[in-house]
Structures are given as C-alpha cells and as structure tokens.
Amino acid sequence: MKKLAQLKELFNKDVTDTLKKHKIPLVGGLVVFLLACVGIFITYAYYQVTDVTPIIGGSTGKIADLDVRVMAEERDTNGNGLGSYALYPYIPEAGYAYNEGKSYCTNGSTINYNPATYEADITAYGHDVCYLYFDSTANLDLTLNVYAQNIDSDGNGIEGEYTKLETTALPSIGYVLNTEKSSCENGSSLSYSDEENMFTVDATGKDVCTAYMDAIDVDIQLKLYIQAKAGSSTYYEADTIPSNVYYELGSESACTGTSTLSIQNQKVVIAATSRTSCVAYLNVADGPIIQSMQLSANTVTLNDSNAGTNPTTYYYSADAGANYVSSSDNTYTFENVDPNGTEFKAYAVDASGNTSSILTTTTEDNYVFNGIYDYSSGVQTVPIEVSGYYYLQVWGAQGGSYNEEIAPGGNGGYSKGYIYLNAGDTLYINTGGKGGYGTSNSSTATSGGGVNGGGSAGYRGGAGGGATDIRINQNDLYSRVIVAGGGGGSFYQSSSIYALGGAGGGATGVAGEHYNSSYAYYSGKGGTQTAGGSGGTAEEKAYYGNAGVFGIGGNTGTRYQSTSIYSNGAGGGGWYGGGAAGHYNGETNNRYAGGGGGSGYVYTESTASSYPNGCLLNDSYYLTNASTHAGNTAFESTTGGTETGHAGNGYAKITYIGQTLS
C-alpha cells in the first residue's frame, strides 16, 4: 500500500467546473463524478445536457434575436442554496427546481417549462431576452458516505473499526480506499485517485455509495500523559504506552471537535470525525498483563505476569489480527497454517473484561519476554527458556522516615545493562523494601531495615532502604550481576529539626545529611565499589553508627532520653551497604544525622575486579552498555518516564532483545 500524498483542499467549486476542467464527456447517459476526498459526508448532483444546440422548442425556436439565459442558484459545498444566482450553461437536470415566479422575458415572451423533459418552450414575438431561474433543492442524486478507519495511539488502523465522517474539516493525509468494503447500492462504480485526491463515481442514475478509507498515516495529533504511579497526581509525557503496567483512560482525556477516545488492548483508540487534536491521560489500574509469548511451529504459548490480574480468556490470531479465536487455555495450536511468513498475535481478557496489550511473534522473531517484578519480600525466580540477549533494569528502594512529607528517606538508585543468557540459566530477583521507622514513643520502638540489606534504626530514625539485584543460577550475594543501591534513612524530630538520608546507587552512595554542620561527622557515608560506607563517628557520651558491609547497610546505635530510644538514620543496602549515622547519648538536640546510601554495581569486564573473593560468576555473564546511577540524579522510571531517584519499594524489569544486539 503506498502512502498517500498530502491531501488537496476540499473543492469549493461547482461540479460543472470540475467536469469542464477534466474534460470528461457525457456519453450515453453515463455520468462521471469527481468528488472531494476523505473526511466529509459528500453529496453532489450530476448534470446532463439533453440538447446542446437549441434549448428552445416550438415554432419560433429559430428566431435569431431570442436570447435565453439559465440562472442557477449558487450553492455551498454541501449543496445548500445561497440565495444568489449565476449564469449557467444549460438547464440542470437534477438538484434544482424551476422557479416559475422568478423567471421572465424582458419583452413579454411566454416561457413554458416542462420539468419532465427539462425543456423550455418559449413563444416569442420579436427580439427578447428570457431568464430561466432554478432554485437549489439540495435533493441531490448521488450520495457518498465516507467512513474513516479508527486508529490507535501508535497511528495504526484498527481492523474492522470505522467512523462515519460528517464534517467539512478534512484530514490532510492518511487514508486509502478499501475497494473490497466500498460499494454502491444501485450498482454504480466507485473508485479513488490518490494523485487527484478525489473519488470517481460512474453512475447511470440515483445511487447511494459508501466508501471505506483505511488509515495509513493519519493527520491526528495525540499527546500521551502517563501517571507516574498509582494514585499519583504526577504525569509525564510519553511517545508510547509502557508494556509493564496496565492503564485505564482518565476522565481528563479529550479531543477537539466530536472525535472520541477509548482504550483497547492498551492502545488509545481515536474515533476521528475530522482532523483532530487529542490528549490522553492514562492512569495505573488493574488488568491482565502477558509476560511472554513463544511460537513453536503452529503453537503459541503465553505466560501471565504476576503483576497483572488473572486472565479468563485468551485470544489468538494467525492472520496478523484480522481474525481471532478464543480459548481458556494459555496455549493454542493452529491447524493447516504455514507458519513461514505468518504473523501471530495474541492477547488476554480478565473477568472484568479488561484486555491486555497485543503481543506479536513470527518464525523469525518467535519469542517475546517482558518480565516485570514489583516488590516482593521473597526472592522471585525466573527460568530462562530461550537463549539470547536480555536487557536488565533494577531500581533500589527508598530509605525510611518518621515524617515522609518533611524528611523523606534517601531515594533508591538505578542500574541497567545487556547480557547474553543461555536457555537453562535461572535468574533470582531480589527487590528492595522501603525502610521502616518506629511509630511509638517508647523504649522498645525500632524500625526494621528494608528487605535485601537495609539497616535498622530506633525511634524517629528511618531504616535503610533495601537494594534491588539480579543473581544468576544461585541466590547468593556473590552471584549478583547487577545492583541498584537503596537509600539511607532520615531522622525527624520536628518541622525544623531533621536530617535527610543519602541517596543510594551509583558507584558511590550519597552520604547522609546532618542537622548541625559542627557535627557533620555523625552522618553515615555511602557505600563504594570496594567497601561499605563508614558509620558516623562521635565523641564521649555517643554511639558510633555501624559501617555498611558487602550487600548490607549499617544499623544505627541508640541514645536514651527519658524512657525513649532515639536513633538517627540507618544505612541503605547495596553492592556495599551505606553506613549508619552516629548518636549522642544525652539531652542535646543538635547531633541529628541521616544514614548513607548503598552503592550500585554492574558486572562488566572493567568492574569484575571489584568483586571480593568468592565470586560465583564468570566472564560469559559480563554486561554490555551497562551503567549505575545515584538516586539524586535523573534516570528512567519504572513506567517509562523520567524520575530523579526512585521512591518507594524496589523494582526490576527483564526484556528479551533477540539473538543479536542492534
């Protein structure tokens, strides 16, 4: 299908001019119509010259000095009369009615008009000029209904979905005539020229024709705004909809004009009645997510993601989505289908009718894998079924805080890289938990460290956030191939007395902040590539913060004040954990500090030497195009936008790339 050129402006001229311009003869009653293209409900009359020599009948028709002028009401492009008249070259046969009261001859000749034969018999008694007036009736002989294919948010036409176009605002590009679907009720022939950007209707009488136009490059503007996370008021602009989250269309979504929006198979669908501009707000919701699709001969196998709802029905297609068959089974085998050159598609539907995105495979690209791993307190195991390159992404967890709004814990970091994995390998995903905090003013209040290495703290001290990492073939700290560090915990006393935890991630985690610069040494330091972050130092009547170690953030000491246990921020987990802040054992309130963030790590040829003795990996698992980022810098968010540091629990993604990196 060749792409349409820019559509021309809608004709604003009478069809007569069009016929004359293109010099199309009227032969044997066959009328050829050139109509303006896509985007409107188009109706125009056709015209026929019954006698191009004298149009005057009767015995006096040969009088040389009789001048007859046909005056036709001017019309707009919809066929509506404008009340003004212009000279016409012949008597119109359709779309007009003779106006006897308005017609006249200047010297009193008599006009006898026969509407059955479209002839005027004028009885003249000498030289005369006669005017025959015809009013537009908008009762046109040819009706053309145009239906334009709906498109999704990727600009692709949706099979079988069309919207009738009834406005005069035209899309400028983007449609081609579907000759198989288009037809005329009374047998007229309908065609379309993309070069002329016009329809041609061969008609021998009145007819109603319907044209279906398939979208190929539609002139519709769409902006996508993706919710950062469930319940958030923050949205970011995106070019595509992320595949690892299920979305529903927000109530603020809208289009200009009468076009409408909906969401189907995780694509925004636009029912366009004209050229339009749309804005779609997509909110995080619950629905089915397909994690993988594998093709073996004619058998398609799907696997659901733990992050989505449970599907009740699966839909499979062996003709690129033109037709689907349904099944309650996640595996389907097509009979009598040659898989070579065939495009297989599939999606899932849950009990509420929510539809997943559509996955596609072919014999050349026979495997799709989009593994997403939200926070879990336990390890998540991923068996590798297909050898090839995979893209690994991990986000560390945020440190804890006694007051999230005023003194949030340090944000987690981010790491990414590509790796070649073999079928039979097993990945172990450990997602970091957000650091906790003590909730009551008592001598026993403590805050547990976040899952996967976050250090613990006491009352008013935030615990460290856990790291997120991926391990290969063994669930062991010494088999980690990629790590995103967790943030350090904060301390909060009041709206004016607090100290923030340091961000996790990057080659070196960020040190915790301090309330009083005179006591900066109380802060916990960030983990590095070869050692844990040092704990905050102190003087007499104080407790040293514990240093971080390999994979684990430091715990804080405590100070006693009346019956309460006070604590500063703990260290975040990471490649090496961050150090915890030190604590003063007394009544003074000026030695408050945050814990340090844990470091991030990517296993590459240049960083392998950072592994302590006991590494369980070999050089076949080196990452390429890998990097680690601290949680005080901007990087990709879990939903595809950009965030500065990762808040909340940790997260991981694994995406199959293919047999080669390109």
Side-chain angles (χ1 to χ4, degrees), residues 65-312:
D65 58 355
L66 179 61
D67 186 4
V68 178
R69 299 177 183 178
V70 176
M71 306 298 295
E73 186 177 13
E74 295 179 311
R75 302 185 298 187
D76 62 19
T77 55
N78 291 319
N80 301 311
L82 298 175
S84 57
Y85 295 81
L87 188 65
Y88 222 61
Y90 50 81
I91 292 176
E93 256 191 40
Y96 291 90
Y98 178 62
N99 188 328
E100 184 177 359
K102 199 172 187 67
S103 301
Y104 69 97
C105 295
T106 57
N107 290 326
S109 298
T110 302
I111 303 172
N112 296 298
Y113 177 72
N114 186 345
T117 61
Y118 307 106
E119 293 182 348
D121 187 4
I122 300 175
T123 303
Y125 300 98
H127 175 76
D128 213 340
V129 179
C130 296
Y131 294 86
L132 281 66
Y133 281 83
F134 292 84
D135 296 334
S136 174
T137 63
N139 181 19
L140 307 180
D141 296 272
L142 180 65
T143 299
L144 177 61
N145 299 315
V146 179
Y147 288 80
Q149 189 178 30
N150 293 346
I151 66 164
D152 62 25
S153 47
D154 288 340
N156 300 317
I158 300 172
E159 185 71 27
E161 292 190 15
Y162 295 83
T163 297
K164 187 177 181 181
L165 306 183
E166 298 188 0
T167 71
T168 56
L170 300 181
S172 61
I173 56 174
Y175 294 96
V176 64
L177 183 67
N178 185 324
T179 56
E180 293 183 359
K181 291 183 67 71
S182 303
S183 63
C184 297
E185 293 180 3
N186 296 325
S188 299
S189 176
L190 173 65
S191 60
Y192 171 75
S193 167
D194 57 355
E195 294 181 358
E196 294 283 343
N197 185 31
M198 286 186 291
F199 291 106
T200 300
V201 178
D202 291 342
T204 57
K206 293 184 179 182
D207 211 341
V208 176
C209 298
T210 302
Y212 287 90
M213 304 298 289
D214 289 341
I216 59 171
D217 186 13
V218 179
D219 187 18
I220 291 176
Q221 294 182 352
L222 172 65
K223 287 190 175 182
L224 292 173
Y225 291 95
I226 311 295
Q227 191 176 37
K229 60 182 179 180
S232 174
S233 60
T234 301
Y235 291 79
Y236 67 90
E237 187 173 353
D239 294 328
T240 59
I241 300 175
S243 61
N244 64 312
V245 180
Y246 186 86
Y247 296 97
E248 63 182 8
L249 197 64
S251 59
E252 295 181 353
S253 304
C255 291
T256 57
T258 58
S259 300
T260 59
L261 291 173
S262 62
I263 189 166
Q264 299 174 19
N265 295 113
Q266 293 300 282
K267 298 291 184 185
V268 175
V269 175
I270 303 172
T273 56
S274 65
R275 178 185 299 168
T276 187
S277 177
C278 303
V279 177
Y281 288 88
L282 301 183
N283 296 327
V284 177
D286 292 325
I289 301 174
I290 301 300
Q291 176 172 280
S292 68
M293 177 180 182
Q294 188 169 9
L295 175 66
S296 177
N298 288 349
T299 299
V300 177
T301 301
L302 305 176
N303 285 309
D304 308 328
S305 170
N306 292 332
T309 57
N310 293 324
T312 57

